[in-house]
Amino acid sequence: MPHDHPAPAPQCPMGAAPDVPLFLRRDGFDPAPEMAALREEEGVRLVPSMFGTPVYAVTRHEAVKTVMADTSRFSVAPREEEFGMSALTEEERARVVAGNLLGLDAPEHTRLRRMLTSEFTVRRMRGLQPRITEIVEEHLDAMAAAGPPADLVADFALPIPSLVICELLGVPYADRAEFQERTGRQLDLSLPEEEQAELLRDSRAYMAGLVARAQARPGEDMLGMLVREHGDELTTDELVGIAELLLAAGHETTSNMLGLGTLALLRHPDQLALVRDDPTAVAPAVEELLRYLSIVTAGVTRTALRDVEIDGVPIPAGSAVAVVLATANRDPRSVDDGERLDVTRTAAGHVAFGHGLHHCLGAPLARMEMQIAFPALLRRFPGLALAVPCEEVAFRPHHFIHGLRSLPVRW
């Protein structure tokens, strides 16, 4: 039976930053209203991108899945204008692409993913459950000892997935401030191209040092495993690229889900109570939060490899194509009343983790972290509440991954 919800609380509106491309704009938890209208009226439209070139925004659920699944007609190879790529030399661009699963088509993608799949199975994640629980409890203890108020982003949402991925990958946790700050800036769409390029260089230089250490003395972490078991199959540049992606994706996405998800639950107290009090409600709630929040507003930009037609709109070969996950996950053709958060619904089929060949490798880890962290936080602090008015909550309007700058809370 669906849960009987009272009228929803205010949604902490955030006016979309006008210099962010339309298809990436957010209004609080929601996609920009213009994007929902685009989905209903046209489905696909040519719109400006953040890089000055136009992009076809695909907004409906089935069409988004079609584009992501069709590797014969759409390539994920990075476009030269993206994220500082054009400011790099040809040799630097080749190194940036090496090992980065998000920017590789088959068969290179398949070859690298095969080496990592066993590390991210549900069974392997269950083995990590006691350590993740311990990490969560340690941070809750620290929050309780320090007392309210607290910044839930800095004290809980960001450090937990950062520590988990550091231990899993073999990255020194002492370096967390450095790589967190760098990754956050790399995902900032407002930065100039030259600054983006310099961040790419800095990130690779940092990870190259860790890879060299693992090659000299492989440990029991994932980098050590890759060196021991696949060292003769992987180039150093591929090792660096794999590690860079896992480190960035391993903390940025889950941390923003924890922060934004907690805010969403605080704005829906009845649903917060379900997550806090009913263990069976937690897993469905996590899926619904993934669908509703869609923190990765749009997936990796594709390039049409030949003339195609999507939702009746012709797309010429060579065109950039953006799959807008935030609108797809609320498409009334695939979900009833998708603009409403309902943690009791079955949100199966959402595309928050992508779809097809590039479905998120770390999805089992992210799900486990959230399934542990949300109820633990809410049970430890049953009186958890915002410490500032809803309108003062600081979103990150220019970031590729949607989230909060901070979340002041009290209990």
Side-chain angles (χ1 to χ4, degrees), residues 155-166:
D155 298 335
F156 186 77
L158 185 54
I160 288 170
S162 295
L163 181 52
V164 171
I165 197 63
C166 279

Side-chain angles (χ1 to χ4, degrees), residues 48-65:
S49 78
M50 73 288 277
F51 305 110
T53 53
V55 58
Y56 284 89
V58 179
T59 61
R60 293 173 182 166
H61 186 264
E62 283 306 312
V64 162
K65 287 176 66 177

Side-chain angles (χ1 to χ4, degrees), residues 78-124:
R79 298 175 66 87
E80 187 173 306
E81 67 267 19
E82 292 183 344
F83 291 105
M85 291 287 282
S86 62
L88 300 176
T89 67
E90 188 173 337
E91 181 182 353
E92 285 176 323
R93 284 200 293 270
R95 286 182 170 175
V96 166
V97 172
N100 184 346
L101 294 172
L102 290 179
L104 292 174
D105 297 315
E108 290 84 359
H109 176 276
T110 309
R111 176 178 68 88
L112 297 183
R113 186 166 178 132
R114 173 180 51 80
M115 301 177 195
L116 292 165
T117 300
S118 63
E119 297 297 308
F120 287 98
T121 61
V122 173
R123 180 180 179 184
R124 177 69 187 271

Side-chain angles (χ1 to χ4, degrees), residues 64-269:
V64 162
K65 287 176 66 177
T66 294
V67 172
M68 288 193 289
D70 192 345
T71 57
S72 66
R73 295 193 297 167
F74 299 96
S75 167
V76 296
R79 298 175 66 87
E80 187 173 306
E81 67 267 19
E82 292 183 344
F83 291 105
M85 291 287 282
S86 62
L88 300 176
T89 67
E90 188 173 337
E91 181 182 353
E92 285 176 323
R93 284 200 293 270
R95 286 182 170 175
V96 166
V97 172
N100 184 346
L101 294 172
L102 290 179
L104 292 174
D105 297 315
E108 290 84 359
H109 176 276
T110 309
R111 176 178 68 88
L112 297 183
R113 186 166 178 132
R114 173 180 51 80
M115 301 177 195
L116 292 165
T117 300
S118 63
E119 297 297 308
F120 287 98
T121 61
V122 173
R123 180 180 179 184
R124 177 69 187 271
M125 293 306 105
R126 287 191 186 123
L128 295 175
Q129 184 171 352
R131 178 56 183 146
I132 295 173
T133 300
E134 185 178 37
I135 290 170
V136 168
E137 293 300 327
E138 287 170 355
H139 285 80
L140 291 174
D141 289 345
M143 285 176 59
D151 176 1
L152 199 75
V153 171
D155 298 335
F156 186 77
L158 185 54
I160 288 170
S162 295
L163 181 52
V164 171
I165 197 63
C166 279
E167 292 190 359
L168 190 64
L169 195 55
V171 173
Y173 190 55
D175 295 347
R176 66 191 180 280
E178 176 189 345
F179 71 67
Q180 287 168 357
E181 191 268 346
R182 185 170 53 239
T183 303
R185 289 171 63 211
Q186 283 180 282
L187 295 167
D188 186 342
L189 302 174
S190 67
L191 291 187
E193 184 178 48
E194 285 293 340
E195 192 171 343
Q196 286 279 4
E198 199 55 39
L199 287 167
L200 284 170
R201 295 184 184 106
D202 291 346
S203 179
R204 288 197 71 78
Y206 169 74
M207 195 55 71
L210 295 184
V211 165
R213 189 189 66 181
Q215 287 172 323
R217 192 173 181 179
E220 295 304 312
D221 48 67
M222 196 177 300
L223 258 183
M225 177 278 294
L226 286 169
V227 169
R228 280 194 313 274
E229 298 183 15
H230 304 288
D232 55 347
E233 302 173 70
L234 293 167
T235 68
T236 296
D237 283 339
E238 286 175 331
L239 277 168
V240 171
I242 290 170
E244 270 193 298
L245 174 62
L246 293 178
L247 180 61
H251 77 272
E252 266 288 337
T253 50
T254 307
S255 67
N256 283 292
M257 273 300 303
L258 290 175
L260 204 58
T262 299
L263 177 60
L265 291 172
L266 287 171
R267 306 315 297 154
H268 298 80

Side-chain angles (χ1 to χ4, degrees), residues 54 56 73 79 81 302-307 315-321:
Y56 284 89
R73 295 193 297 167
R79 298 175 66 87
E81 67 267 19
R302 269 77 173 167
T303 299
L305 297 175
R306 55 178 181 266
D307 292 351
I315 299 176
S319 300
V321 179

